[in-house]
Amino acid sequence: VPPPVPQQQQQQQPPLDVFAPQPVAPAAATPGANFTAFSKESLTVDFEVQKPDLSSQDCVVVATFKNSGTPDMTGLNFQVAVPKYITMSMEPPSSTTVPGSNASGVTQVIKLKNGQMGTKKLMLKLKISYTVAGRKVEEMATANQFPAG
């Protein structure tokens, strides 16, 4: 039988109050909320995804067009196609000229509603056309890197 431990060596812990308010950690940013939807030659299109809350079917995507080349890109036309379970509306772009040398980008807002949230993820087909140095460019891509929810 081990000898009893002297009283002065025992550390008393207050009982755990499970009903006391606990500190709340700040909400983490939704993983993948910002991503590059398209990048080719000198054009990059970044998507910033904004959701009022994770349970909402609605989200807003702010597309930012950046031009790392020297000549400006003119006549920017951005078209988006969505599957039938997604409803979409688009605002006009902030400009149809994307300045060169990564100057201020052009933005365009896309509002989406996923009617099958939780079953199917957001997915967009992109068609981007513009003129640079007198050459007409038309590109197509798929954006499907949206966060779950």
Side-chain angles (χ1 to χ4, degrees), residues 6-145:
Q7 192 68 8
Q8 68 266 21
Q9 290 181 0
Q10 288 181 344
Q11 299 253 336
Q12 290 288 337
Q13 294 283 337
L16 181 61
D17 184 358
V18 294
F19 297 107
Q22 301 297 315
V24 177
T30 305
N34 300 320
F35 63 91
T36 299
F38 177 84
S39 183
K40 188 170 180 185
E41 296 181 18
S42 58
L43 178 64
T44 302
V45 182
D46 292 322
F47 278 6
E48 177 187 342
V49 182
Q50 304 167 355
K51 278 185 80 110
D53 62 69
L54 289 177
S55 64
S56 175
Q57 293 180 332
D58 300 319
C59 79
V60 174
V61 176
V62 179
T64 302
F65 301 81
K66 288 282 209 169
N67 174 8
S68 63
T70 305
D72 292 351
M73 296 174 174
T74 59
L76 175 69
N77 183 19
F78 182 51
Q79 296 176 346
V80 177
V82 296
K84 291 181 181 180
Y85 63 90
I86 297 174
T87 56
M88 176 193 70
S89 66
M90 289 177 64
E91 295 179 6
S94 59
S95 175
T96 57
T97 299
V98 185
S101 304
N102 276 327
S104 60
V106 171
T107 58
Q108 189 161 6
V109 175
I110 309 162
K111 296 177 182 177
L112 303 166
K113 182 176 192 131
N114 184 350
Q116 294 189 17
M117 190 185 85
T119 306
K120 295 187 177 184
K121 285 182 68 175
L122 288 174
M123 196 236 356
L124 310 177
K125 295 277 189 180
L126 313 176
K127 183 176 178 183
I128 307 160
S129 60
Y130 57 91
T131 302
V132 62
R135 180 176 57 100
K136 180 84 172 149
V137 179
E138 190 170 288
E139 300 288 353
M140 296 185 79
T142 299
N144 55 10
Q145 307 97 313

